[in-house]
């Protein structure tokens, strides 16, 4: 396993730490990701560390920004786009119906307002069902094409949730990754992998709520490497 | 405080900003749709109104919230409390029905002439049965409980209220809650302040 160099967080004034990202080492069966981000590129992330939702959102954001770097994966925005399309469509239908009801007198406006209301409900239910059945906990879907005697497409899906605290453990960020490698346009399956890991939030956030992004990204890299190595042909 | 929020916005990107705006817009949209749905279900354009004057004391005081329905085929009866709007004046009035007349829509006589011929109390039972038929139209006279005279002066020239002027019948009320609306109408800056603060919170929060 190639060594990863950790850059200390907040080390912005260090001129010698302008590392170049290492190129990916390709081996026939597995790919290892090898990326180091200079500290000067980072924003300081500070959240309220009593708020679990904020903690999870901060981790999700850093994960998304890390994995969608050009040398790693290209993010697929399908889930977000569907949610945006359904949501904005329902908002526009609601606005149109309300405007019509305001302009036109009540009795004559009734059939159109009924129609608008029903369309709005259908869109809202569709949105909820999509979020509940299809999207669930997914935070990142990414794709990568590499060339290894043929064009290989890799697809990674990351879901995350917060494992609540118990009397012995702090609240934890639970990450699970699913990985698929296919060739020739998705028709032949080369390998699959699944991995799951959890770390307490206290490992990434200090008492002020400042996030140690380097440490988090290192851990994410480990999980992604782990899922890419399992069960390859 | 705002510098951090602005940085967070820049980090979100176009999609992220659209998602946050969508959260805000969908709250407003669902509120609008619930209001319209309530109006359709109760068959009235304004199912919840606020009492502005003291003309119905001691039943309703200024600042009470009233819940209205407008059942489509049920005739209104003496004693019902109705909210009506006279064409030409924008503010709806909430008063009690004093008299009811049922007149034949198809008759060639004028409504006023027909109304003079029918006396409500004597033929009450017959009239109520007849009122359900589509050719019979209801004419109403109202008066506020706390007013000394009936509402003829408020009718802008009409002798009787027609069914189509009535927004709905009062079914229930909540005291004092309407003062929020009265305050926002008397001090418009308060309305913008509240909306602005709510909007700011909705945009900054992330679920």
């Amino acid at each position: 396993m190639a060594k990863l160099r950790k850059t200390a967080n907040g080390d912005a004034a260090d001129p010698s730490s302008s590392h170049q990202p290492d190129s990916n080492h390709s081996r026939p069966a597995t790919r290892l990701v090898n990326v180091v981000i200079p500290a000067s590129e980072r924003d300081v992330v500070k959240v309220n560390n009593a708020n679990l939702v904020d903690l999870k959102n901060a981790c999700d954001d850093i994960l998304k920004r890390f994995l969608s770097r050009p040398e790693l994966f290209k993010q697929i925005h399908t889930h977000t786009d569907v949610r945006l399309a359904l949501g904005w469509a329902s908002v526009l239908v609601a606005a149109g119906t309300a405007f019509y009801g305001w302009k036109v007198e009540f009795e004559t406006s009734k059939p159109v307002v009924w129609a608008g209301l029903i369309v709005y409900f259908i869109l809202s239910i569709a949105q909820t069902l999509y979020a509940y059945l299809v999207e669930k906990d997914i935070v990142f879907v990414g794709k990568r094409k590499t060339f290894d005697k043929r064009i290989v497409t890799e697809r990674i899906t990351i879901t995350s949730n917060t494992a609540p605290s118990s009397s012995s453990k702090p609240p934890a960020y639970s990450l699970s990754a699913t990985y698929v490698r296919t060739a020739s346009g998705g028709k032949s399956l080369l390998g699959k992998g699944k991995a799951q890991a959890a770390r307490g939030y206290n490992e990434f956030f200090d008492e002020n709520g400042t996030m140690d992004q380097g440490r988090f990204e290192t851990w994410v890299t480990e999980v992604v490497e782990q899922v890419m190595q399992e069960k390859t042909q | 405080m705002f510098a951090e929020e602005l940085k967070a916005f820049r980090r979100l990107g176009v999609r992220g900003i659209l998602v946050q705006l969508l959260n805000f817009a969908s709250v407003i949209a669902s509120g609008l749709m619930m209001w319209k749905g309530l109006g359709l279900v109760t068959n009235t354009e304004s199912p919840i109104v606020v009492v502005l004057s003291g003309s119905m004391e001691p039943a309703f005081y200024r600042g009470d919230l009233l819940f209205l329905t407008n059942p489509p085929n049920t005739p209104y009866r003496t004693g019902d409390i109705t909210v009506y709007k006279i064409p030409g004046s924008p503010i709806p009035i909430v008063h009690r029905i004093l008299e009811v007349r049922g007149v034949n829509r198809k008759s060639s006589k004028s409504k006023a002439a027909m109304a003079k011929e029918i006396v409500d109390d004597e033929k009450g039972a017959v009239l109520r049965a007849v009122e359900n038929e589509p050719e019979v139209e209801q004419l109403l006279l109202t008066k506020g409980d706390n007013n000394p005279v009936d509402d003829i002066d408020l009718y802008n020239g009409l002798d009787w209220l027609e069914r189509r002027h009535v927004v709905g019948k009062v079914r229930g009320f909540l005291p004092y809650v309407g003062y929020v609306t009265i305050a926002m109408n008397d001090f418009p800056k308060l309305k913008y302040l509240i909306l602005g603060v709510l909007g700011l919170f909705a945009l900054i929060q992330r679920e």
Side-chain angles (χ1 to χ4, degrees):
Chain A
M1 195 126 35
K3 272 205 273 269
L4 288 161
R5 270 171 295 181
K6 258 191 284 199
T7 327
N9 199 18
D11 210 4
D14 186 1
S16 64
S17 68
S18 51
H19 307 284
Q20 291 291 11
D22 293 351
S23 54
N24 288 327
H25 301 286
S26 65
R27 284 168 213 190
T30 63
R31 299 275 184 279
L32 297 179
V33 287
N34 215 338
V35 171
V36 168
I37 301 171
S40 51
E41 270 182 26
R42 291 190 195 282
D43 298 320
V44 171
V45 174
K46 200 166 147 138
V47 293
N48 172 12
N49 61 2
N51 184 343
L52 284 179
V53 173
D54 274 356
L55 289 174
K56 178 179 186 294
N57 283 338
C59 291
D60 288 346
D61 284 347
I62 300 297
L63 186 144
K64 279 185 252 193
R65 285 203 305 159
F66 177 63
L67 287 179
S68 47
R69 293 179 73 86
E71 55 268 17
L72 288 179
F73 292 96
K74 183 168 183 303
Q75 188 172 9
I76 298 179
H77 294 280
T78 313
H79 290 308
T80 314
D81 288 346
V82 168
R83 198 151 53 111
L84 279 176
L86 285 176
W88 279 109
S90 66
V91 164
L92 290 175
V93 164
T97 310
F99 184 70
Y100 181 80
W102 178 58
K103 275 281 179 194
V104 175
E105 187 256 325
F106 181 67
E107 288 291 326
T108 46
S109 75
K110 277 205 273 198
V112 175
V113 175
W114 269 116
L117 216 69
I118 289 173
V119 171
Y120 176 81
F121 266 118
I122 291 176
L123 286 174
S124 293
I125 290 174
Q127 225 183 325
T128 313
L129 284 179
Y130 188 86
Y132 187 69
L133 294 175
V134 177
E135 197 182 344
K136 287 187 262 203
D137 284 330
I138 297 175
V139 289
F140 182 82
V141 180
K143 199 160 82 152
R144 193 163 78 157
K145 279 197 166 90
T146 46
F147 187 68
D148 170 36
K149 294 174 239 158
R150 56 205 156 164
I151 300 209
V152 173
T153 309
E154 299 159 296
R155 192 186 165 99
I156 188 161
T157 308
I158 310 245
T159 67
S160 78
N161 35 36
T162 301
S165 62
S166 65
S167 52
S168 53
K169 294 183 301 182
Y173 184 73
S174 163
L175 195 65
S176 118
T178 314
Y179 172 75
V180 172
R181 278 176 83 223
T182 55
S184 36
K187 293 203 202 76
S188 53
L189 180 65
L190 297 177
K192 284 204 300 192
K194 259 187 144 147
Q196 211 227 340
R199 288 275 178 91
Y201 282 113
N202 57 338
E203 299 194 26
F204 305 119
F205 295 88
D206 64 14
E207 336 51 86
N208 296 327
T210 315
M211 185 178 185
D212 186 349
Q213 299 176 40
R215 198 162 170 201
F216 181 72
E217 288 168 4
T218 312
W219 176 57
V220 169
T221 315
E222 280 170 23
V223 176
V224 170
E225 285 176 357
Q226 187 190 351
V227 80
M228 283 164 104
Q229 281 174 349
E230 292 185 4
K231 287 204 220 164
T232 51
Q233 292 173 332
Chain B
M1 177 188 73
F2 280 122
E4 281 178 31
E5 312 294 352
L6 284 176
K7 245 202 299 182
F9 268 127
R10 249 185 292 130
R11 261 189 281 154
L12 279 179
V14 175
R15 274 199 178 81
I17 292 182
L18 277 178
V19 170
Q20 290 297 99
L21 282 175
L22 178 64
N23 284 340
F24 175 60
S26 63
V27 168
I28 296 186
S30 61
L32 271 176
M33 287 288 99
M34 282 199 280
W35 176 255
K36 287 284 166 214
L38 191 63
L40 282 180
V41 162
T42 55
N43 195 34
T44 162
E45 62 178 322
S46 170
I48 304 180
V49 295
V50 173
V51 176
L52 292 176
S53 72
S55 57
M56 280 300 285
E57 293 180 17
F60 302 132
Y61 292 89
R62 182 173 146 89
D64 288 353
L65 209 66
L66 300 177
F67 301 104
L68 310 176
T69 65
N70 186 20
N73 290 319
T74 321
Y76 285 120
R77 305 181 29 178
T78 313
D80 287 345
I81 306 175
T82 57
V83 175
Y84 62 88
K85 252 200 319 203
I86 298 285
S89 63
I91 306 178
I93 303 173
V94 53
H95 282 163
R96 201 181 290 270
I97 295 181
L98 206 60
E99 288 180 29
V100 175
R101 298 278 187 272
V103 294
N104 194 335
R105 278 180 225 260
K106 297 218 183 89
S107 165
S108 53
K109 297 189 199 164
S110 76
K111 284 201 183 114
M114 278 193 285
K116 282 195 174 62
E117 288 182 11
I118 306 169
V119 177
D120 189 41
D121 292 338
E122 291 170 358
K123 300 186 183 171
V126 174
L127 258 176
R128 284 195 222 311
V130 157
E131 273 161 4
N132 279 329
E133 293 167 31
E135 308 93 55
V136 177
E137 186 183 327
Q138 281 200 302
L139 300 178
L140 312 169
L141 178 66
T142 61
K143 174 183 174 297
D145 289 351
N146 212 16
N147 289 347
V149 293
D150 61 28
D151 291 346
I152 283 285
D153 294 329
L154 295 171
Y155 287 173
N156 265 352
L158 295 170
D159 282 329
W160 297 94
L161 269 187
E162 291 171 36
R163 183 65 191 256
R164 62 188 174 91
H165 297 131
V166 175
V167 171
K169 180 161 84 160
V170 176
R171 293 301 194 144
F173 82 111
L174 274 181
Y176 308 120
V177 178
Y179 264 115
V180 179
T181 314
I182 291 180
M184 291 210 289
N185 274 333
D186 288 347
F187 308 107
K189 293 211 179 99
L190 182 65
K191 189 168 26 176
Y192 296 128
L193 184 69
I194 291 183
L195 281 179
V197 167
L198 285 178
L200 202 64
F201 273 129
L203 281 174
I204 294 181
Q205 282 292 92
R206 288 187 62 193
E207 289 178 33

